[in-house]
Amino acid sequence: MSHHDESKQSILALFREALRGSDRDFARLDLRRAIPLLAIPMVFEMGMEAVFAIVDVVFVARLGPQAIATVGLTESVVTLVYALGVGIAMPVTAMVARRVGEGDRNAASTVGGQALLVALAVGLLISLSAPWFAADILRGMGAETAVVDTGRGYASVVMGSSAFIMLLFILNGVFRGAGDPGRSMRALWIANGINIVLDPCFIFGLGPFPELGVTGAAVATTIGRGVGVAYQLRALSLGPRVRLSRASLRPNPKIILDIMRLSVGGVGQHLIGTASWIALVRILAGFGSDVVAGYTVAMRIVIFALLPSWGFSNATATLVGQSLGANDPARAQRAVLYSGLYNMAFLGLISVVFVLWPRPVTALLTDQDVVLRYGSDALMIISFGYIFYAWEMVLLNAFNGAGDTRTPSLINIVAFWVVEIPLGWALAYPLGLGPRGVFIAVAFSYSLSAVLAYAAFRRGRWKTVKV
């Protein structure tokens, strides 16, 4: 067998092991093997997150613009629930990873149990209250009366399923911290697969299913998420690294307070990014809807291209947490270096494609000439910062993995609120660069974020955070 064939078989074996789930000790495994074993299933998990947002719109689009508006407006509100879920999952991942790295699986299981209690408490609070205000929320988002009448049921069901959303995010944070991303990936595969199958059944009333219109999309999504959560709970009851038991589910006020305290920074990171996105769209809106459409298309391509990078950055969080738990900060630092280099190589190749051929890539999502022109312009300019984005993603998640959620929040405030928004406005209007000024501000601010993150990382305070 040639060396090439041996390498190919080795890569395929690594890929299979990553998707199947590995029982290796990631706190001590060779980093060149540990990073891909963790990153590969995380890439597929992030892909499923993206698909969730697309599937409902694809089917609902057949019901007309009011139904699409219902989905769009409701999702913009549910983004706040996502922010809570992601923000709480960050410290949960860090705390579980730290306990696993210490070799204390009972303590890791206790953190997992407390994370479940937090997810249930926060999720049920939203699920039991938000549906009563669904119509008012839609009106508050500027929905027309026809959209409110059409979408009241959809919004009520989606907001009523917030407990499932919280559980999916937070329990997947437990799996990632434990070094078991294969199960978090499968939970989303199951949830999304059921959603894809049931969506047309409940929307259009296929076979024995009732025809519920746009509300059917919410019912299908909720059932899918519910089954995904059932899989998570079963896996955690049998898990090799974190195993839920009656003892681990007994309320522990100290751990619960630690999760909530650290989650403030995690939620803040998500909301800061969301707010800056809204502000930039508002600046671009002054140049007309074609510009906003072009920017939206470009950012969808950018976000899709970044999904594999989230795999590397999430793997970094797990490895940093477990390495610090094993009292090996030098290994945690090497994990960041390797992940950053992997990510830089990947995004470097992507940036070459986007910079040289932005128009053909943008044309995959739109054929409207004006939208295509602005979209390809945005894609090319933003892609010049990809090398910096690679390090920004890895470094910020390294802080999160160490349990330092405050530093990324401060960096985001400076990069996006203090710099990006004012710079985008100044370049676009007073300096006369138009929409290109906003695109340049996006590339610059993410690059600045990477530089600030590197400076903070070099200081090393993250190595001494207690979680």
Side-chain angles (χ1 to χ4, degrees):
M1 184 182 294
S2 69
H3 178 70
H4 175 74
D5 290 336
E6 288 179 357
S7 298
K8 188 176 178 180
Q9 284 197 356
S10 176
I11 292 170
L12 287 173
L14 185 73
F15 198 82
R16 283 195 297 268
E17 182 180 353
L19 294 182
R20 186 175 62 246
S22 178
D23 57 359
R24 296 172 184 266
D25 182 357
F26 287 106
R28 292 157 186 86
L29 182 64
D30 186 310
L31 288 169
R32 288 166 295 186
R33 194 167 187 85
I35 290 170
L37 280 174
L38 288 170
I40 289 168
M42 289 177 181
V43 169
F44 282 95
E45 179 188 348
M46 296 307 298
M48 287 299 103
E49 295 273 15
V51 170
F52 246 137
I54 295 169
V55 169
D56 281 354
V57 175
V58 169
F59 288 113
V60 165
R62 300 184 187 183
L63 300 177
Q66 291 174 355
I68 298 173
T70 295
V71 174
L73 290 171
T74 304
E75 280 297 313
S76 64
V77 175
V78 176
T79 299
L80 298 175
V81 181
Y82 296 158
L84 279 172
V86 171
I88 296 172
M90 284 179 182
V92 166
T93 296
M95 293 168 72
V96 171
R98 192 72 69 94
R99 303 292 89 80
V100 169
E102 291 167 354
D104 192 343
R105 298 195 174 183
N106 284 334
S109 298
T110 299
V111 173
Q114 303 312 296
L116 172 60
L117 295 179
V118 170
L120 275 174
V122 176
L124 287 174
L125 182 65
I126 301 170
S127 291
L128 296 175
S129 59
W132 295 97
F133 307 104
D136 295 326
I137 290 170
L138 287 175
R139 289 191 197 98
M141 292 296 294
E144 300 169 356
T145 303
V147 173
V148 174
D149 293 339
T150 302
R152 187 195 307 259
Y154 176 89
S156 296
V157 174
V158 169
M159 294 172 190
S161 68
S162 295
F164 289 146
I165 296 172
M166 297 296 293
L167 286 163
L168 271 175
F169 276 116
I170 294 170
L171 295 184
N172 273 356
V174 174
F175 287 125
R176 283 194 293 271
D180 194 4
R183 284 188 169 84
S184 58
M185 173 194 71
R186 282 191 285 278
L188 281 179
W189 277 9
I190 290 168
N192 209 43
I194 291 172
N195 182 44
I196 291 170
V197 172
L198 292 184
D199 246 348
C201 295
F202 280 111
I203 292 172
F204 307 113
L206 302 182
F209 294 92
E211 183 178 350
L212 301 176
V214 67
T215 304
V219 172
T221 300
T222 300
I223 292 172
R225 284 176 173 149
V227 176
V229 168
Y231 167 81
Q232 289 177 315
L233 294 174
R234 176 164 175 74
L236 283 171
S237 69
L238 304 170
R241 292 185 177 90
V242 173
R243 180 172 294 188
L244 296 184
S245 62
R246 287 184 180 179
S248 67
L249 290 170
R250 193 172 299 124
N252 185 315
K254 181 184 181 304
I255 294 176
I256 290 173
L257 286 173
D258 283 343
I259 291 173
M260 299 309 295
R261 174 177 56 84
L262 292 170
S263 70
V264 172
V267 174
Q269 291 172 50
H270 203 80
L271 291 179
I272 290 164
T274 302
S276 65
W277 156 264
I278 293 169
L280 290 181
V281 170
R282 182 68 189 84
I283 293 170
L284 286 170
F287 297 101
S289 57
D290 287 335
V291 174
V292 174
Y295 179 66
T296 303
V297 168
M299 290 307 294
R300 284 185 179 178
I301 295 170
V302 167
I303 291 168
F304 189 78
L306 290 177
L307 288 177
S309 295
W310 282 112
F312 288 119
S313 60
N314 284 336
T316 304
T318 299
L319 289 169
V320 166
Q322 292 194 3
S323 297
L324 291 177
N327 199 27
D328 192 351
R331 186 175 188 276
Q333 198 156 339
R334 289 198 307 276
V336 176
L337 174 64
Y338 279 127
S339 291
L341 290 173
Y342 282 139
N343 212 14
M344 186 175 69
F346 168 73
L347 284 183
L349 289 173
I350 296 294
S351 68
V352 169
V353 174
F354 287 179
V355 168
L356 294 180
W357 300 286
R359 193 174 178 90
V361 173
T362 309
L364 295 172
L365 292 190
T366 181
D367 58 0
Q368 298 178 34
D369 191 60
V370 181
V371 175
L372 184 57
R373 176 159 57 87
Y374 286 116
S376 58
D377 211 23
L379 185 63
M380 181 186 69
I381 292 170
I382 292 170
S383 296
F384 276 107
Y386 261 31
I387 297 296
F388 287 94
Y389 307 164
W391 285 99
E392 188 247 11
M393 296 171 74
V394 167
L395 287 166
L396 293 187
N397 246 20
F399 290 117
N400 289 326
D404 179 8
T405 58
R406 180 173 173 269
T407 296
S409 295
L410 294 174
I411 290 171
N412 284 352
I413 289 173
V414 172
F416 301 134
W417 286 2
V418 176
V419 175
E420 183 183 53
I421 296 171
L423 179 64
W425 178 84
L427 291 175
Y429 291 101
L431 296 177
L433 293 182
R436 281 191 169 187
V438 175
F439 308 153
I440 291 169
V442 172
F444 179 81
S445 61
Y446 274 94
S447 302
L448 173 64
S449 177
V451 173
L452 294 175
Y454 180 72
F457 185 76
R458 285 290 302 272
R459 285 176 56 199
R461 196 181 72 86
W462 56 273
K463 297 176 185 177
T464 60
V465 174
K466 304 293 183 185
V467 296

PDB file of all heavy atoms in Angstrom, residues 18 49 67 75 94 139 145 170 173 210 221 230 247 251 262 274 283 292 300 304 340-341 375 421-422 427:
ATOM      1  N   ALA A  18     -14.662  10.385  14.470  1.00  0.00           N
ATOM      2  CA  ALA A  18     -15.226  11.662  14.921  1.00  0.00           C
ATOM      3  C   ALA A  18     -16.750  11.637  14.876  1.00  0.00           C
ATOM      4  O   ALA A  18     -17.420  12.084  15.813  1.00  0.00           O
ATOM      5  CB  ALA A  18     -14.696  12.791  14.054  1.00  0.00           C
ATOM      6  N   GLU A  49     -27.732  23.682  12.724  1.00  0.00           N
ATOM      7  CA  GLU A  49     -28.286  24.935  13.249  1.00  0.00           C
ATOM      8  C   GLU A  49     -28.737  25.831  12.096  1.00  0.00           C
ATOM      9  O   GLU A  49     -29.799  26.446  12.124  1.00  0.00           O
ATOM     10  CB  GLU A  49     -27.216  25.674  14.080  1.00  0.00           C
ATOM     11  CG  GLU A  49     -26.787  24.954  15.339  1.00  0.00           C
ATOM     12  CD  GLU A  49     -27.660  25.260  16.524  1.00  0.00           C
ATOM     13  OE1 GLU A  49     -28.759  25.805  16.309  1.00  0.00           O
ATOM     14  OE2 GLU A  49     -27.257  24.937  17.646  1.00  0.00           O
ATOM     15  N   ALA A  67     -47.114  34.799   5.369  1.00  0.00           N
ATOM     16  CA  ALA A  67     -46.560  33.666   6.126  1.00  0.00           C
ATOM     17  C   ALA A  67     -45.060  33.816   6.299  1.00  0.00           C
ATOM     18  O   ALA A  67     -44.506  33.539   7.377  1.00  0.00           O
ATOM     19  CB  ALA A  67     -46.895  32.358   5.417  1.00  0.00           C
ATOM     20  N   GLU A  75     -38.829  34.789  14.258  1.00  0.00           N
ATOM     21  CA  GLU A  75     -37.441  34.364  14.439  1.00  0.00           C
ATOM     22  C   GLU A  75     -36.583  35.500  15.004  1.00  0.00           C
ATOM     23  O   GLU A  75     -35.669  35.252  15.792  1.00  0.00           O
ATOM     24  CB  GLU A  75     -36.850  33.885  13.103  1.00  0.00           C
ATOM     25  CG  GLU A  75     -37.254  32.474  12.727  1.00  0.00           C
ATOM     26  CD  GLU A  75     -36.761  31.425  13.709  1.00  0.00           C
ATOM     27  OE1 GLU A  75     -35.576  31.463  14.084  1.00  0.00           O
ATOM     28  OE2 GLU A  75     -37.570  30.570  14.127  1.00  0.00           O
ATOM     29  N   ALA A  94     -17.536  25.263  29.717  1.00  0.00           N
ATOM     30  CA  ALA A  94     -16.276  25.512  30.425  1.00  0.00           C
ATOM     31  C   ALA A  94     -16.215  24.737  31.743  1.00  0.00           C
ATOM     32  O   ALA A  94     -15.184  24.117  32.065  1.00  0.00           O
ATOM     33  CB  ALA A  94     -16.121  27.011  30.690  1.00  0.00           C
ATOM     34  N   ARG A 139     -47.130  42.697  16.794  1.00  0.00           N
ATOM     35  CA  ARG A 139     -47.487  44.101  16.535  1.00  0.00           C
ATOM     36  C   ARG A 139     -46.314  45.016  16.887  1.00  0.00           C
ATOM     37  O   ARG A 139     -46.031  45.976  16.173  1.00  0.00           O
ATOM     38  CB  ARG A 139     -48.716  44.496  17.357  1.00  0.00           C
ATOM     39  CG  ARG A 139     -50.020  43.869  16.884  1.00  0.00           C
ATOM     40  CD  ARG A 139     -51.215  44.499  17.571  1.00  0.00           C
ATOM     41  NE  ARG A 139     -52.392  43.648  17.416  1.00  0.00           N
ATOM     42  CZ  ARG A 139     -52.825  42.790  18.337  1.00  0.00           C
ATOM     43  NH1 ARG A 139     -52.192  42.688  19.508  1.00  0.00           N
ATOM     44  NH2 ARG A 139     -53.890  42.042  18.118  1.00  0.00           N
ATOM     45  N   THR A 145     -51.766  44.043  10.336  1.00  0.00           N
ATOM     46  CA  THR A 145     -52.875  43.316  10.960  1.00  0.00           C
ATOM     47  C   THR A 145     -53.061  41.933  10.342  1.00  0.00           C
ATOM     48  O   THR A 145     -53.287  40.946  11.063  1.00  0.00           O
ATOM     49  CB  THR A 145     -54.189  44.109  10.806  1.00  0.00           C
ATOM     50  OG1 THR A 145     -54.014  45.405  11.388  1.00  0.00           O
ATOM     51  CG2 THR A 145     -55.336  43.396  11.502  1.00  0.00           C
ATOM     52  N   ILE A 170     -28.267  24.148  25.790  1.00  0.00           N
ATOM     53  CA  ILE A 170     -27.497  23.990  27.031  1.00  0.00           C
ATOM     54  C   ILE A 170     -27.005  22.563  27.215  1.00  0.00           C
ATOM     55  O   ILE A 170     -25.854  22.335  27.619  1.00  0.00           O
ATOM     56  CB  ILE A 170     -28.333  24.479  28.230  1.00  0.00           C
ATOM     57  CG1 ILE A 170     -28.553  25.996  28.096  1.00  0.00           C
ATOM     58  CG2 ILE A 170     -27.652  24.149  29.551  1.00  0.00           C
ATOM     59  CD1 ILE A 170     -29.555  26.581  29.072  1.00  0.00           C
ATOM     60  N   GLY A 173     -24.149  22.010  25.169  1.00  0.00           N
ATOM     61  CA  GLY A 173     -22.974  22.574  25.834  1.00  0.00           C
ATOM     62  C   GLY A 173     -22.345  21.580  26.800  1.00  0.00           C
ATOM     63  O   GLY A 173     -21.116  21.513  26.929  1.00  0.00           O
ATOM     64  N   PRO A 210     -53.457  17.131  10.053  1.00  0.00           N
ATOM     65  CA  PRO A 210     -54.333  18.295   9.857  1.00  0.00           C
ATOM     66  C   PRO A 210     -53.598  19.393   9.080  1.00  0.00           C
ATOM     67  O   PRO A 210     -52.383  19.541   9.201  1.00  0.00           O
ATOM     68  CB  PRO A 210     -54.628  18.753  11.293  1.00  0.00           C
ATOM     69  CG  PRO A 210     -53.449  18.283  12.087  1.00  0.00           C
ATOM     70  CD  PRO A 210     -53.025  16.982  11.466  1.00  0.00           C
ATOM     71  N   THR A 221     -41.550  21.887  13.924  1.00  0.00           N
ATOM     72  CA  THR A 221     -40.274  22.263  14.539  1.00  0.00           C
ATOM     73  C   THR A 221     -40.255  21.899  16.020  1.00  0.00           C
ATOM     74  O   THR A 221     -39.259  21.378  16.530  1.00  0.00           O
ATOM     75  CB  THR A 221     -40.038  23.779  14.380  1.00  0.00           C
ATOM     76  OG1 THR A 221     -40.005  24.098  12.992  1.00  0.00           O
ATOM     77  CG2 THR A 221     -38.726  24.194  15.015  1.00  0.00           C
ATOM     78  N   ALA A 230     -35.303  14.592  23.935  1.00  0.00           N
ATOM     79  CA  ALA A 230     -35.474  13.240  24.497  1.00  0.00           C
ATOM     80  C   ALA A 230     -34.212  12.403  24.247  1.00  0.00           C
ATOM     81  O   ALA A 230     -33.761  11.663  25.137  1.00  0.00           O
ATOM     82  CB  ALA A 230     -36.694  12.567  23.876  1.00  0.00           C
ATOM     83  N   ALA A 247     -28.722  12.179  42.288  1.00  0.00           N
ATOM     84  CA  ALA A 247     -27.795  13.021  43.062  1.00  0.00           C
ATOM     85  C   ALA A 247     -27.369  14.247  42.264  1.00  0.00           C
ATOM     86  O   ALA A 247     -27.305  15.363  42.794  1.00  0.00           O
ATOM     87  CB  ALA A 247     -26.566  12.200  43.464  1.00  0.00           C
ATOM     88  N   PRO A 251     -30.743  20.149  43.506  1.00  0.00           N
ATOM     89  CA  PRO A 251     -30.312  21.540  43.325  1.00  0.00           C
ATOM     90  C   PRO A 251     -29.081  21.899  44.142  1.00  0.00           C
ATOM     91  O   PRO A 251     -29.009  21.613  45.342  1.00  0.00           O
ATOM     92  CB  PRO A 251     -31.535  22.351  43.774  1.00  0.00           C
ATOM     93  CG  PRO A 251     -32.698  21.440  43.531  1.00  0.00           C
ATOM     94  CD  PRO A 251     -32.189  20.058  43.830  1.00  0.00           C
ATOM     95  N   LEU A 262     -21.638  33.514  35.174  1.00  0.00           N
ATOM     96  CA  LEU A 262     -20.767  33.451  33.997  1.00  0.00           C
ATOM     97  C   LEU A 262     -21.542  33.604  32.693  1.00  0.00           C
ATOM     98  O   LEU A 262     -20.980  34.012  31.678  1.00  0.00           O
ATOM     99  CB  LEU A 262     -20.003  32.123  33.996  1.00  0.00           C
ATOM    100  CG  LEU A 262     -18.957  31.953  35.102  1.00  0.00           C
ATOM    101  CD1 LEU A 262     -18.451  30.511  35.136  1.00  0.00           C
ATOM    102  CD2 LEU A 262     -17.792  32.915  34.891  1.00  0.00           C
ATOM    103  N   THR A 274     -25.599  40.876  17.696  1.00  0.00           N
ATOM    104  CA  THR A 274     -26.914  41.056  17.070  1.00  0.00           C
ATOM    105  C   THR A 274     -27.264  42.537  16.937  1.00  0.00           C
ATOM    106  O   THR A 274     -27.753  42.988  15.893  1.00  0.00           O
ATOM    107  CB  THR A 274     -28.001  40.343  17.895  1.00  0.00           C
ATOM    108  OG1 THR A 274     -27.674  38.951  17.995  1.00  0.00           O
ATOM    109  CG2 THR A 274     -29.362  40.486  17.250  1.00  0.00           C
ATOM    110  N   ILE A 283     -28.021  51.588   8.851  1.00  0.00           N
ATOM    111  CA  ILE A 283     -27.183  52.536   8.096  1.00  0.00           C
ATOM    112  C   ILE A 283     -27.316  52.278   6.598  1.00  0.00           C
ATOM    113  O   ILE A 283     -27.479  53.201   5.794  1.00  0.00           O
ATOM    114  CB  ILE A 283     -25.708  52.418   8.533  1.00  0.00           C
ATOM    115  CG1 ILE A 283     -25.537  52.888   9.983  1.00  0.00           C
ATOM    116  CG2 ILE A 283     -24.801  53.243   7.612  1.00  0.00           C
ATOM    117  CD1 ILE A 283     -24.168  52.594  10.573  1.00  0.00           C
ATOM    118  N   VAL A 292     -29.503  46.758   0.961  1.00  0.00           N
ATOM    119  CA  VAL A 292     -29.757  45.884   2.121  1.00  0.00           C
ATOM    120  C   VAL A 292     -29.847  44.431   1.673  1.00  0.00           C
ATOM    121  O   VAL A 292     -29.287  43.526   2.309  1.00  0.00           O
ATOM    122  CB  VAL A 292     -31.048  46.307   2.850  1.00  0.00           C
ATOM    123  CG1 VAL A 292     -31.385  45.304   3.962  1.00  0.00           C
ATOM    124  CG2 VAL A 292     -30.898  47.700   3.433  1.00  0.00           C
ATOM    125  N   ARG A 300     -25.116  36.012   4.372  1.00  0.00           N
ATOM    126  CA  ARG A 300     -25.525  34.604   4.440  1.00  0.00           C
ATOM    127  C   ARG A 300     -24.426  33.704   3.905  1.00  0.00           C
ATOM    128  O   ARG A 300     -24.170  32.623   4.447  1.00  0.00           O
ATOM    129  CB  ARG A 300     -26.821  34.399   3.652  1.00  0.00           C
ATOM    130  CG  ARG A 300     -28.052  34.900   4.381  1.00  0.00           C
ATOM    131  CD  ARG A 300     -29.334  34.584   3.643  1.00  0.00           C
ATOM    132  NE  ARG A 300     -30.487  35.060   4.382  1.00  0.00           N
ATOM    133  CZ  ARG A 300     -31.732  34.955   3.952  1.00  0.00           C
ATOM    134  NH1 ARG A 300     -31.988  34.393   2.785  1.00  0.00           N
ATOM    135  NH2 ARG A 300     -32.741  35.406   4.689  1.00  0.00           N
ATOM    136  N   PHE A 304     -22.333  31.027   6.205  1.00  0.00           N
ATOM    137  CA  PHE A 304     -22.281  29.623   5.793  1.00  0.00           C
ATOM    138  C   PHE A 304     -20.828  29.164   5.663  1.00  0.00           C
ATOM    139  O   PHE A 304     -20.471  28.056   6.091  1.00  0.00           O
ATOM    140  CB  PHE A 304     -23.010  29.432   4.461  1.00  0.00           C
ATOM    141  CG  PHE A 304     -23.189  27.996   4.069  1.00  0.00           C
ATOM    142  CD1 PHE A 304     -24.172  27.214   4.650  1.00  0.00           C
ATOM    143  CD2 PHE A 304     -22.349  27.409   3.129  1.00  0.00           C
ATOM    144  CE1 PHE A 304     -24.323  25.871   4.315  1.00  0.00           C
ATOM    145  CE2 PHE A 304     -22.491  26.078   2.782  1.00  0.00           C
ATOM    146  CZ  PHE A 304     -23.484  25.312   3.373  1.00  0.00           C
ATOM    147  N   GLY A 340      -5.947  27.777  15.699  1.00  0.00           N
ATOM    148  CA  GLY A 340      -5.839  29.013  14.932  1.00  0.00           C
ATOM    149  C   GLY A 340      -5.187  28.789  13.582  1.00  0.00           C
ATOM    150  O   GLY A 340      -5.623  29.341  12.561  1.00  0.00           O
ATOM    151  N   LEU A 341      -4.140  27.957  13.549  1.00  0.00           N
ATOM    152  CA  LEU A 341      -3.448  27.673  12.279  1.00  0.00           C
ATOM    153  C   LEU A 341      -4.348  26.874  11.342  1.00  0.00           C
ATOM    154  O   LEU A 341      -4.398  27.154  10.137  1.00  0.00           O
ATOM    155  CB  LEU A 341      -2.146  26.909  12.556  1.00  0.00           C
ATOM    156  CG  LEU A 341      -1.036  27.725  13.237  1.00  0.00           C
ATOM    157  CD1 LEU A 341       0.136  26.824  13.624  1.00  0.00           C
ATOM    158  CD2 LEU A 341      -0.547  28.845  12.317  1.00  0.00           C
ATOM    159  N   GLY A 375     -24.057  42.790  -3.508  1.00  0.00           N
ATOM    160  CA  GLY A 375     -23.709  41.586  -2.754  1.00  0.00           C
ATOM    161  C   GLY A 375     -22.287  41.119  -3.018  1.00  0.00           C
ATOM    162  O   GLY A 375     -21.540  40.775  -2.093  1.00  0.00           O
ATOM    163  N   ILE A 421     -19.767  50.529  14.258  1.00  0.00           N
ATOM    164  CA  ILE A 421     -20.968  51.307  13.919  1.00  0.00           C
ATOM    165  C   ILE A 421     -20.620  52.759  13.571  1.00  0.00           C
ATOM    166  O   ILE A 421     -21.012  53.253  12.500  1.00  0.00           O
ATOM    167  CB  ILE A 421     -22.004  51.214  15.057  1.00  0.00           C
ATOM    168  CG1 ILE A 421     -22.481  49.760  15.228  1.00  0.00           C
ATOM    169  CG2 ILE A 421     -23.191  52.132  14.777  1.00  0.00           C
ATOM    170  CD1 ILE A 421     -23.337  49.523  16.469  1.00  0.00           C
ATOM    171  N   PRO A 422     -19.863  53.486  14.428  1.00  0.00           N
ATOM    172  CA  PRO A 422     -19.502  54.865  14.047  1.00  0.00           C
ATOM    173  C   PRO A 422     -18.652  54.916  12.773  1.00  0.00           C
ATOM    174  O   PRO A 422     -18.845  55.818  11.941  1.00  0.00           O
ATOM    175  CB  PRO A 422     -18.708  55.372  15.255  1.00  0.00           C
ATOM    176  CG  PRO A 422     -19.121  54.508  16.392  1.00  0.00           C
ATOM    177  CD  PRO A 422     -19.392  53.167  15.796  1.00  0.00           C
ATOM    178  N   LEU A 427     -17.742  56.459   7.214  1.00  0.00           N
ATOM    179  CA  LEU A 427     -17.241  56.131   5.873  1.00  0.00           C
ATOM    180  C   LEU A 427     -18.350  56.205   4.830  1.00  0.00           C
ATOM    181  O   LEU A 427     -18.129  56.639   3.693  1.00  0.00           O
ATOM    182  CB  LEU A 427     -16.616  54.731   5.866  1.00  0.00           C
ATOM    183  CG  LEU A 427     -15.309  54.545   6.648  1.00  0.00           C
ATOM    184  CD1 LEU A 427     -14.894  53.070   6.641  1.00  0.00           C
ATOM    185  CD2 LEU A 427     -14.199  55.403   6.065  1.00  0.00           C
TER     186      LEU A 427
END
